[in-house]
């Protein structure tokens, strides 16, 4: 696998882990980890699946990685907005 692709995958895994940690801290703090329908729990599950697929044996192109990276960026923005809106309600 190309060095730059490998590096990009490692960086994306770290980014996904960071997003998932933010979600997990909030979900645990609000005691909603068992609410399977809560958007943050759904988002965390989706991120886990995407992150897990990066570790698989498939070789990715930089274009594919850019699309996955965009999903992670969207996930971070969405999680931040959900958390921010919930904190305003409290």
């Amino acid at each position: 696998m190309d060095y730059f692709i490998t590096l990009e995958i490692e960086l994306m895994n770290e980014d996904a882990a960071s997003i998932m940690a933010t979600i997990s801290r909030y979900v645990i703090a609000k005691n909603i980890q068992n609410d399977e329908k809560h958007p943050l729990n759904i988002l965390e599950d989706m991120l886990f699946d995407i992150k897990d697929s990066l570790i698989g044996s498939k070789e990715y192109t930089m274009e594919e990685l850019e699309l996955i990276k965009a999903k992670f960026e969207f996930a971070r923005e969405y999680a931040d907005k959900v958390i921010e809106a919930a904190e305003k309600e409290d």
Side-chain angles (χ1 to χ4, degrees):
M1 192 180 295
D2 185 284
Y3 171 77
F4 292 107
I5 290 176
T6 302
L7 180 61
E8 186 68 24
I9 289 172
E10 287 178 20
L11 292 172
M12 289 171 58
N13 274 320
E14 289 176 15
D15 195 32
S18 171
I19 299 166
M20 292 168 63
T22 299
I23 293 171
S24 290
R25 281 191 301 274
Y26 180 81
V27 164
I28 290 169
K30 296 297 182 180
N31 197 28
I32 54 174
Q33 60 267 35
N34 293 325
D35 182 357
E36 295 175 1
K37 293 183 180 183
H38 192 282
L40 291 178
N41 287 325
I42 294 168
L43 183 61
E44 187 175 26
D45 288 343
M46 289 174 23
L47 287 172
F48 179 81
D49 290 343
I50 294 169
K51 185 177 179 290
D52 193 44
S53 72
L54 285 173
I55 300 169
S57 60
K58 181 182 186 304
E59 290 194 21
Y60 290 93
T61 65
M62 285 303 281
E63 291 82 17
E64 290 172 319
L65 292 177
E66 286 299 318
L67 291 172
I68 295 170
K69 189 175 186 178
K71 290 178 184 180
F72 287 157
E73 290 170 7
F74 173 81
R76 179 180 302 282
E77 290 173 12
Y78 180 77
D80 288 345
K81 287 182 182 187
V82 168
I83 291 169
E84 182 181 314
E87 288 175 350
K88 284 181 181 179
E89 291 177 4
D90 289 342

